[in-house]
Amino acid sequence: MGYIFDTALNDERSRSGRAWFFRNDRYLRYDWAQNQVDAGPSPLTEWGLPASFNSGVDAALNSRGWGMRTHFFRGSQYAFHSGPDDKVYGPYPLSDWLPSNFASGIDTALNGQGDSVGKAYFFKGDQYITYDWFNVQIVGGPSPISDWNLTAAFAKGVHAALQGDGPDVGWAYFFRGPQYVKYSWSNAQVVGPLHLSDFNLTGGIGSSAV
């Protein structure tokens, strides 16, 4: 299965209705309302992450209840960018945060919405765990991804996940290779699979070209 981008993250710091898509040592910025790229590709080094992260990241996640932190994951480590002081901290071992079977690395992570606000979901292979930001502990799992009622191929694993923004608020997006499905937080409806070309990504990020 070819991954044509590594991970994606919404820009919650500026509330701009934009997302970042990452592939290897580059990233670009996507405008949800316009459904198009409006900046990049740019070098990942612009984030000021630890040197070992500059060739690519596995997953990224905005914090809940920990201030304006943006977490980046690579292998068995994570680092975070702190919004208030505009500094990067880490790397730290993922074992400080997640149980042993997830501490060697994760595929992706996603914050909950609706009834799941305050929860984060970490995915690895065909399983996921549920983390409570406010109680600072794992509160569920490992559980099978099939619990989400995604299409059969996606139940085997996903490589990226992203909250919808702008006109797509209320939906979660799960990506597997060049395809994605949409999951509704309000009624658990699943739409897809659909093709990543719908996002109009450019610059070799989200396309088969490098």
Side-chain angles (χ1 to χ4, degrees):
M1 177 173 53
Y3 295 160
I4 50 183
F5 72 94
D6 298 326
T7 193
L9 180 75
N10 281 321
D11 177 7
E12 294 189 355
R13 296 179 300 176
S14 64
R15 304 292 180 181
S16 63
R18 291 175 171 83
W20 297 293
F21 285 78
F22 299 84
R23 186 183 189 189
N24 298 329
D25 61 353
R26 299 172 297 153
Y27 74 100
L28 54 76
R29 192 176 68 183
Y30 171 82
D31 185 315
W32 281 101
Q34 299 301 317
N35 187 30
Q36 65 183 18
V37 172
D38 69 356
S42 303
L44 186 54
T45 52
E46 290 184 351
W47 284 83
L49 299 175
S52 59
F53 286 61
N54 287 335
S55 60
V57 293
D58 301 327
L61 185 68
N62 291 303
S63 68
R64 295 286 184 267
W66 289 9
M68 294 176 62
R69 293 184 180 181
T70 303
H71 294 82
F72 292 92
F73 303 84
R74 180 178 172 87
S76 62
Q77 296 184 316
Y78 74 96
F80 67 87
H81 176 272
S82 172
D85 58 9
D86 195 26
K87 292 182 179 179
V88 172
Y89 296 85
Y92 304 106
L94 194 50
S95 57
D96 288 350
W97 193 346
L98 301 181
S100 58
N101 50 339
F102 280 69
S104 61
I106 60 171
D107 296 331
T108 193
L110 179 73
N111 280 312
Q113 290 187 0
D115 293 340
S116 299
V117 165
K119 303 294 192 300
Y121 301 93
F122 293 87
F123 298 83
K124 183 174 184 176
D126 62 357
Q127 297 186 317
Y128 73 97
I129 54 176
T130 306
Y131 178 81
D132 188 311
W133 285 107
F134 304 113
N135 290 310
V136 196
Q137 63 182 357
I138 303 296
V139 294
S143 304
I145 294 179
S146 57
D147 287 353
W148 292 74
N149 295 319
L150 306 181
T151 58
F154 286 74
K156 298 176 183 177
V158 294
H159 82 267
L162 181 66
Q163 292 292 2
D165 204 346
D168 296 283
V169 165
W171 292 91
Y173 289 75
F174 291 93
F175 300 87
R176 181 179 170 88
Q179 295 187 316
Y180 70 95
V181 294
K182 298 169 61 174
Y183 173 87
S184 170
W185 288 106
S186 63
N187 60 16
Q189 176 189 5
V190 175
V191 176
L194 306 168
H195 199 274
L196 184 58
S197 57
D198 295 344
F199 281 77
N200 299 313
L201 302 178
T202 60
I205 300 174
S207 67
S208 58
V210 176

